Amino acid sequence: RKLTSTWKLIKVPLNPPTVFRNMMSNAILMNLSGMPIRRIMSNMYKATNEMIAYKKGDMANSKHYKALLDRGVADTSFTEAELFRWAEDFKEFTTERSINELGILSWMHLKGWRRFASAASSVMGKTAMAIEMMENQNKNADEAYLIANDALFDYSLVPPVVRGLRTSPIGIPFLTFMYKVIPKLIDVALNNPFRFAPYVAM
């Protein structure tokens, strides 16, 4: 389990192309879940600012992010559900080195990458989705949390067979995304097929 978790750590949050692909897939899933394309980038920007504000203790400017945290959004992310605490400790160890240990260029690279990878997480996308729901579609915090979790998936909510396969070295390490996204795409195809139009056009 720890070896699989570490392998995923290297393949996802510490891998720049994967982080970029995840940001793009999150944006597409938010659009398929009802967020207009024109507001995706602005909502993601707002979400990032809210996460930064929260870390600084500025609760007034992080209300959507805080509302999701209060409802347990951090426990539903890929990082928490699939990388586990051991890998988080490893990630912290590799990114919390001092300037004297690493040299200024390496230190700046690791610090900057850690922030970028964190910002690209599903929690940021869920916060952006919550902002859209609460600010533009008149949803309350509970409704926004459920919609955001549906749009970008609750990685903790899977049957035992999926949990076993994704954590086993002889299994399907990224099964959760496939397990979650296929029903989502079928649902959109049946109920809102025109949401696929921009992607078919591209």
Side-chain angles (χ1 to χ4, degrees), residues 6-175:
T6 303
W7 184 77
K8 288 183 182 182
L9 175 74
I10 294 165
K11 293 291 288 183
V12 183
L14 298 182
N15 184 20
T18 303
V19 171
F20 180 75
R21 284 194 298 270
N22 285 350
M23 290 180 69
M24 293 301 296
S25 67
N26 284 350
I28 291 169
L29 287 168
M30 286 188 283
N31 177 233
L32 293 178
S33 297
M35 186 187 297
I37 289 176
R38 67 183 182 277
R39 287 205 290 265
I40 290 174
M41 291 308 296
S42 62
N43 283 333
M44 290 175 80
Y45 177 74
K46 290 175 187 175
T48 303
N49 284 339
E50 287 205 11
M51 293 172 76
I52 292 169
Y54 182 84
K55 288 181 180 178
K56 292 179 178 177
D58 183 0
M59 299 300 120
N61 291 309
S62 57
K63 65 177 184 178
H64 304 95
Y65 179 55
K66 185 178 183 306
L68 293 191
L69 287 179
D70 290 344
R71 286 158 179 78
V73 74
D75 296 324
T76 69
S77 70
F78 170 84
T79 299
E80 190 64 32
E82 300 208 24
L83 297 187
F84 311 112
R85 183 56 48 200
W86 188 84
E88 281 295 288
D89 293 341
F90 173 76
K91 181 178 167 188
E92 185 174 348
F93 174 78
T94 60
T95 55
E96 292 293 341
R97 304 299 91 198
S98 69
I99 294 177
N100 291 335
E101 287 177 281
L102 293 172
I104 188 164
L105 290 178
S106 296
W107 181 83
M108 288 175 67
H109 169 75
L110 287 173
K111 285 287 187 180
W113 181 250
R114 184 185 185 195
R115 290 194 181 97
F116 179 68
S118 297
S121 70
S122 62
V123 174
M124 187 269 281
K126 289 178 182 181
T127 304
M129 196 71 195
I131 290 170
E132 170 66 21
M133 292 299 112
M134 294 170 73
E135 296 296 319
N136 298 307
Q137 300 194 28
N138 299 315
K139 304 293 184 183
N140 61 38
D142 291 327
E143 292 170 325
Y145 169 77
L146 293 173
I147 292 167
N149 245 9
D150 178 65
L152 296 177
F153 314 140
D154 183 342
Y155 281 84
S156 68
L157 190 61
V158 294
V161 65
V162 173
R163 186 171 288 109
L165 285 170
R166 76 185 184 188
T167 58
S168 171
I170 304 172
I172 309 173
F174 298 106
L175 176 61

